[in-house]
Amino acid sequence: MNKRKLRDLIGTKLMLIATLFVSLLFFLIFVLLLFRSGLVLQDNSLFDILFSSTWNPDNSQFGLAPIIIGTILVTGIALLIAIPISLLSAIYIAEYAPWKIRRILRPFIDVLAGVPSVVYGLCAFLFLVPLTKDVIAPWFGVQSTGLCIFTAAVILAVMVFPIIISLCIESFNAVPLALKEASLSVGATKWETVKKVVFRASTPSVIAAILLGFGRAFGETIAINMVIGGIPRIPSSVFSPGETLASLIASKYGELMSIPVHESALMLVALILFVVVLVFNILGVFILRRAKRRWTY
Amino acid sequence: MDVLNRRTVEEKIFKLFMIVSICIVIGSLVIIFGLVIINGASSISIEMITQTPTPGNALGGGILNAIIGSLLLALPATGLACIIGIGIALYLQKEFSHPGFANFIRFTLDVLWGIPSIVYGIFCLMIMIALGMGSSLLVGIFALTLLEIPIITRYMDEAIKMVPIGLKESAFSLGSTKFETAIRIVRRQAFPGILAGILLGLGRGIGDAASILFTAGFSNRIPTSLFDSTAALPTMIFNLYSLPSGQPKAYAAAFILLVVVLLISIISRVLSKRFMKHVIR
């Protein structure tokens, strides 16, 4: 009996240690990034860094404005493309598609969610970049090398499709059949049922899916780094090269890590990524709580 | 009649939109699969997967060093993350921790899940430099472990939440301790979900480039100790994609990654069906 009690005690403590390790990790990353980015904040104010528009570490100018604009543009365009297309596809698969097609598409989309981002990057580099350079940019009457914000946003949208679609299908399927039947029985068309019943009943989970897609798009590093061109200037159009926060770290860390101030500037970039993810998670919790209260059935 | 017409027209228009958007989704995905499979199949050969790069010429030879490197990085990392993850997931149950505390841990895990993998890379790099180590297999494994813990744990947690309370109560009533119940009963009942989480973590770990870019480094040789730097399939693609003469290797690596992802998905389906037999419903 004693042996079992002892094992219970030790096992429980080990589990507690693992749990504390995770919360400690969370704070450790935050504190370490804050501590290491202190050096660059000594000479430059945070305001200057966030809003000045020249990134030139050799002159100790660490303006992040072009990179932040690049990040917002890439993520924003990607989500603008991805959200309507994914929602409509999810509705089609969940409500309209014949059962056979549904059975083929579901596992297909789940597999896609697992494809590594570097593979998406490779395909974008070899297919989408020449396409943008030779076909799409000339359509709009712009010269472009193909390595640009537009290309990055498109490949990002493709990466986000499977995430939003599979989560949305799940939440659409969770809407009780009785609700849909009630709507159909009073003469609503199928689309009206979808619009006014299915969408409304699953709004909280759709918001959660979109936030998850946003997180993936915002933090994507490698695929974007491969196709965005990597020039930290304020982009003049969507067909000009740019840079995003995460991709900046990947492309510049190797050359900047030897000088403490430069390294510290990149730590600040990592800290910004961390804080934005944190803020959006907190926002997500509040939005979901409100949405759940409002759209209960 | 007029109103009815408008409504059916709206229905038709949106149905058209849906079909167009699903065609866009499927089309883009077919293009990606097609590109990788066609180019990968043509550039993959026996030499490609059984040789390391020829000394002095990184573009010659094969990609064996990256294949072995990826396995040596992802498998131990998944194992470690799985041990830590199961501990956390079991501890989040009501018997062990206060619901408020558990929800706080879930929130931290969600944030950790959302953190870009490059931040984990940087974090491990800082620790590595502080300890005076160079880029090595060990630090790469550590970075991937941190990346995989939140994914694996959240999946396990969702599966464990579904375990019926009656099952736990009957174990308690027979005199088993909390730990025994957790490890023998709850773990077994939730096993299909736990397995799906582990395989998902493995897939994520084997495909991630940003976290191991600086921590595992790059090398043309197969690592012989934990402190050697090593190549991996994703970093191999990232290093070679822009050189036209390196693209066959990049495609071969992408092809192997795609096959691995497919295999993981199939294995996950098959195994979870098999283990469903042991689950009490």
Side-chain angles (χ1 to χ4, degrees):
Chain A
M1 188 62 196
N2 250 339
K3 217 173 103 190
R4 284 177 59 203
K5 270 213 165 130
L6 192 68
R7 206 163 54 185
D8 181 64
L9 191 72
I10 293 173
T12 312
K13 289 295 172 246
L14 281 180
M15 277 151 63
L16 178 64
I17 290 171
T19 313
L20 290 180
F21 169 73
V22 163
S23 43
L24 197 69
L25 180 70
F26 178 78
F27 288 110
L28 200 63
I29 293 180
F30 183 68
V31 169
L32 213 56
L33 286 176
L34 196 67
F35 175 66
R36 292 303 296 270
S37 57
L39 194 59
V40 74
L41 290 175
Q42 273 174 9
D43 304 332
N44 311 276
S45 71
L46 185 63
F47 186 82
D48 275 354
I49 290 178
L50 289 182
F51 296 104
S52 113
S53 62
T54 23
W55 167 265
N56 188 358
D58 295 331
N59 272 341
S60 349
Q61 289 170 306
F62 299 105
L64 288 179
I67 298 148
I68 293 173
I69 292 174
T71 312
I72 294 173
L73 270 180
V74 170
T75 317
I77 297 173
L79 287 181
L80 273 185
I81 301 172
I83 291 173
I85 292 183
S86 315
L87 280 183
L88 285 170
S89 307
I91 278 289
Y92 183 77
I93 296 174
E95 301 290 336
Y96 285 82
W99 194 70
K100 256 186 192 164
I101 296 182
R102 222 178 284 194
R103 262 192 52 175
I104 302 170
L105 281 179
R106 282 300 303 273
F108 187 63
I109 283 170
D110 284 346
V111 168
L112 277 167
V115 172
S117 59
V118 70
V119 174
Y120 284 104
L122 183 70
C123 292
F125 184 77
L126 296 164
F127 179 76
L128 202 58
V129 167
L131 189 75
T132 311
K133 182 185 169 191
D134 298 330
V135 183
I136 299 174
W139 264 355
F140 292 93
V142 194
Q143 280 282 328
S144 172
T145 54
L147 296 169
C148 61
I149 287 179
F150 174 78
T151 317
V154 170
I155 196 64
L156 211 49
V158 174
M159 288 172 69
V160 172
F161 283 158
I163 299 174
I164 301 185
I165 292 178
S166 71
L167 283 172
C168 282
I169 293 178
E170 242 160 64
S171 63
F172 293 152
N173 281 342
V175 176
L177 195 59
L179 277 183
K180 288 182 233 168
E181 279 173 347
S183 163
L184 291 171
S185 71
V186 290
T189 61
K190 205 160 183 184
W191 168 249
E192 281 169 336
T193 307
V194 164
K195 189 171 63 175
K196 295 191 173 147
V197 176
V198 177
F199 269 156
R200 209 165 260 214
S202 53
T203 306
S205 3
V206 169
I207 293 174
I210 290 173
L211 280 177
L212 208 71
F214 166 82
R216 175 92 195 252
F218 178 76
E220 181 45 49
T221 311
I222 291 296
I224 290 188
N225 193 313
M226 289 163 93
V227 296
I228 200 167
I231 296 173
R233 246 183 291 141
I234 292 182
S236 53
S237 78
V238 291
F239 292 107
S240 55
E243 186 71 299
T244 69
L245 290 168
S247 147
L248 179 81
I249 302 178
S251 52
K252 292 287 188 289
Y253 200 83
E255 56 180 274
L256 293 183
M257 67 187 283
S258 46
I259 305 165
V261 182
H262 295 183
E263 196 200 1
S264 156
L266 288 183
M267 294 298 167
L268 183 68
V269 174
L271 183 67
I272 294 173
L273 286 175
F274 185 95
V275 170
V276 171
V277 168
L278 181 65
V279 167
F280 266 85
N281 265 285
I282 294 173
L283 266 181
V285 170
F286 280 111
I287 293 175
L288 279 187
R289 199 176 287 164
R290 273 198 70 126
K292 267 186 193 142
R293 214 180 308 146
R294 191 151 177 231
W295 282 288
T296 39
Y297 46 84
Chain B
M1 197 61 206
D2 198 30
V3 177
L4 191 66
N5 259 338
R6 215 193 64 221
R7 288 167 60 202
T8 45
V9 167
E10 190 185 326
E11 168 101 22
K12 285 220 170 81
I13 290 174
F14 274 96
K15 202 164 176 191
L16 190 72
F17 278 162
M18 281 177 212
I19 289 172
V20 168
S21 56
I22 198 124
C23 285
I24 293 174
V25 172
I26 293 175
S28 54
L29 304 172
V30 164
I31 288 173
I32 285 172
F33 269 93
L35 271 177
V36 173
I37 288 171
I38 291 169
N39 290 304
S42 66
S43 55
I44 211 159
S45 60
I46 302 290
E47 292 93 68
M48 190 62 106
I49 53 172
T50 55
Q51 285 180 0
T52 57
T54 41
N57 175 19
L59 298 177
I63 54 171
L64 184 66
N65 59 331
I67 299 174
I68 305 263
S70 262
L71 291 178
L72 287 180
L73 282 168
L75 292 180
T78 311
L80 269 177
C82 170
I83 294 169
I84 299 174
I86 189 97
I88 302 170
L90 289 175
Y91 197 78
L92 290 180
Q93 297 175 88
K94 280 204 285 293
E95 301 95 84
F96 290 100
S97 53
H98 188 269
F101 176 70
N103 280 335
F104 172 72
I105 295 292
R106 286 191 185 110
F107 175 74
T108 29
L109 284 170
D110 283 345
V111 177
L112 286 175
W113 189 335
I115 290 177
S117 55
I118 186 88
V119 176
Y120 286 109
I122 291 269
F123 174 71
C124 291
L125 197 68
M126 280 194 287
I127 293 177
M128 175 181 105
I129 292 170
L131 294 177
M133 293 162 72
S135 62
S136 61
L137 190 57
L138 186 66
V139 190
I141 291 174
F142 185 57
L144 281 185
T145 308
L146 295 188
L147 178 78
E148 287 181 27
I149 285 176
I151 303 170
I152 291 184
T153 311
R154 282 301 266 147
Y155 261 81
M156 288 178 175
D157 180 41
E158 292 298 326
I160 285 172
K161 264 191 214 165
M162 295 294 165
V163 174
I165 187 93
L167 204 65
K168 290 193 240 176
E169 277 169 351
S170 49
F172 290 140
S173 70
L174 290 172
S176 65
T177 61
K178 286 197 282 188
F179 183 66
E180 282 166 348
T181 312
I183 220 82
R184 301 238 174 93
I185 311 290
V186 175
R187 198 255 305 141
R188 192 161 298 179
Q189 174 75 8
F191 201 68
I194 290 175
L195 202 71
I198 295 172
L199 285 169
L200 203 82
L202 177 65
R204 188 69 202 280
I206 215 164
D208 194 74
S211 61
I212 55 171
L213 196 58
F214 305 115
T215 48
F218 197 79
S219 153
N220 281 332
R221 287 177 304 118
I222 296 173
T224 50
S225 84
L226 271 178
F227 301 101
D228 281 357
S229 53
T230 177
L233 290 168
T235 44
M236 178 80 112
I237 298 176
F238 187 63
N239 280 342
L240 294 180
Y241 75 97
S242 56
L243 313 167
S245 52
Q247 275 161 13
K249 271 188 170 183
Y251 266 126
F255 182 73
I256 294 174
L257 276 180
L258 209 59
V259 169
V260 168
V261 169
L262 276 173
L263 274 182
I264 287 177
S265 160
I266 293 169
I267 291 173
S268 159
R269 258 155 225 279
V270 171
L271 283 187
S272 76
K273 214 170 265 171
R274 172 160 303 172
F275 284 109
M276 269 313 227
K277 276 191 289 197
H278 306 302
V279 170
I280 300 163
R281 262 170 286 198

